[in-house]
Amino acid sequence: MPFANIRIPADTLTAESKKKLQDAVTDAIVDAYGERARPTTLVILDEVADGGWMLGGTILNEAMLGRV
């Protein structure tokens, strides 16, 4: 079973955007493995709480990242 675990900042994507991301990741896996992989491909979005990200020593938060 192909498995993708993606961490995203909490509350930065709408439900529609999350679905779009999960569909795109599933499609990318299917492109690599073939259509047989679609029914068993698992895509999990883990939402990281605001301020739980750091890049280059700077804590990133929702205000910096925006909402898509």
Side-chain angles (χ1 to χ4, degrees):
M1 164 179 18
F3 172 77
N5 187 327
I6 302 169
R7 290 180 175 86
I8 60 173
D11 302 321
T12 58
L13 293 179
T14 64
E16 181 180 311
S17 294
K18 289 177 192 178
K19 172 78 166 81
K20 187 176 179 179
L21 176 58
Q22 289 171 307
D23 287 343
V25 171
T26 299
D27 289 344
I29 290 171
V30 168
D31 283 348
Y33 282 95
E35 196 60 42
R36 72 189 194 298
R38 188 176 301 279
T40 60
T41 296
L42 178 62
V43 179
I44 295 175
L45 300 180
D46 284 328
E47 293 191 82
V48 178
D50 193 37
W53 294 88
M54 180 178 278
L55 176 64
T58 301
I59 292 178
L60 305 177
N61 57 36
E62 182 179 352
M64 295 173 74
L65 298 169
R67 185 175 175 90
V68 178

